[in-house]
């Protein structure tokens, strides 16, 4: 199984079974730019992958490591790598910090499969959090800050928080906006 990350219009064009959609709620880009204003994350099985490739759908696939749970928010990150060797401490340490905020990786891969469009990602993750507050709390935390510094120095980062469905809660959005105002370099 893989996860497809794409824009809503591409998903509609491909006519993906709605039961496969994991998340299609409001997004807040914390590091960008992202090519899709309205993002969808969907599960796809191996049988559907050939059809996605043939359609040249604007999006990418990342191998799944876990089924989605009941979390209400996702972090979706996709980076172009600039220095893989200096990135290694980030990769080794980030999992423990994600867990401290109740998160768990649904996908974590050193390679994303690009399907079409101009967006390029060499490393992709999807992290599920119990709430959007937990996802934003992870991103703005002092404990994550040293790892974010490593990630920014070693990648061309793309990072967003996404509601499973509907809108992001106002408190989570306000916390992220406050952080971005005081740390403008995070918004690449």
């Amino acid at each position: 199984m893989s996860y497809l990350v794409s824009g809503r219009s591409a998903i509609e064009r491909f006519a993906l079974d709605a039961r496969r959609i994991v998340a299609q709620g409001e997004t807040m880009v914390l590091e960008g730019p992202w090519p899709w204003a309205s993002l969808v994350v969907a599960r796809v099985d191996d049988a559907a992958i050939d059809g996605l490739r043939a359609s040249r759908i604007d999006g990418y696939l990342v191998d799944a490591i876990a089924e989605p749970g009941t979390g209400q928010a996702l972090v979706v990150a996709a980076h172009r790598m600039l220095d893989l060797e200096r990135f290694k401490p980030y990769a080794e340490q980030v999992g423990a910090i994600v867990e401290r905020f109740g998160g768990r990786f649904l996908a974590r891969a050193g390679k994303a499969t690009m399907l079409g469009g101009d967006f390029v990602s060499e490393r992709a993750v999807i992290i599920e959090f119990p709430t959007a507050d937990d996802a934003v709390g992870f991103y703005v935390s002092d404990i994550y800050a040293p790892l974010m510094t490593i990630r920014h120095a070693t990648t061309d980062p793309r990072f967003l928080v996404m509601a499973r469905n509907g809108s992001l809660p106002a408190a989570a959005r306000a916390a992220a906006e406050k952080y971005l105002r005081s740390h403008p370099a995070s918004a690449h």
Side-chain angles (χ1 to χ4, degrees), residues 138-178:
F138 158 74
Y139 184 80
V140 304
S141 71
D142 290 340
I143 193 165
Y144 181 61
L147 292 183
M148 185 189 301
T149 299
I150 293 170
R151 188 168 52 78
H152 285 177
T154 60
T155 70
D156 178 12
R158 309 287 188 268
F159 194 106
L160 62 79
V161 174
M162 176 179 199
R164 173 65 58 79
N165 288 297
S167 298
L168 286 167
R173 179 171 279 289
E177 288 170 347
K178 179 180 177 186

Side-chain angles (χ1 to χ4, degrees), residues 43-60:
R43 291 178 301 136
V44 293
D45 56 30
D46 293 342
I49 291 174
D50 287 339
L52 287 166
R53 283 190 178 122
S55 74
R56 305 272 311 144
I57 191 171
D58 189 8
Y60 65 90

Side-chain angles (χ1 to χ4, degrees), residues 25-186:
E26 179 184 16
T27 61
M28 182 173 189
V29 174
L30 303 176
E31 300 168 7
W34 279 85
W36 310 292
S38 184
L39 194 71
V40 175
V41 176
R43 291 178 301 136
V44 293
D45 56 30
D46 293 342
I49 291 174
D50 287 339
L52 287 166
R53 283 190 178 122
S55 74
R56 305 272 311 144
I57 191 171
D58 189 8
Y60 65 90
L61 294 169
V62 59
D63 290 340
I65 59 173
E67 291 282 341
T70 60
Q72 295 304 301
L74 300 179
V75 161
V76 179
H79 308 313
R80 285 183 263 195
M81 301 306 298
L82 303 176
D83 188 337
L84 186 57
E85 193 60 36
R86 287 182 39 226
F87 181 80
K88 286 181 180 177
Y90 176 92
E92 292 165 357
Q93 298 172 45
V94 72
I97 297 172
V98 165
E99 287 177 12
R100 286 180 68 170
F101 287 86
R104 67 186 192 94
F105 287 92
L106 299 181
R108 186 177 188 188
K111 183 166 178 14
T113 301
M114 306 315 300
L115 297 170
D118 296 329
F119 186 74
V120 175
S121 171
E122 296 166 336
R123 185 171 191 87
V125 300
I126 301 171
I127 309 169
E128 181 182 61
F129 284 91
T131 68
D133 289 332
D134 296 321
V136 171
F138 158 74
Y139 184 80
V140 304
S141 71
D142 290 340
I143 193 165
Y144 181 61
L147 292 183
M148 185 189 301
T149 299
I150 293 170
R151 188 168 52 78
H152 285 177
T154 60
T155 70
D156 178 12
R158 309 287 188 268
F159 194 106
L160 62 79
V161 174
M162 176 179 199
R164 173 65 58 79
N165 288 297
S167 298
L168 286 167
R173 179 171 279 289
E177 288 170 347
K178 179 180 177 186
Y179 179 85
L180 292 174
R181 279 192 304 274
S182 63
H183 298 83
S186 297

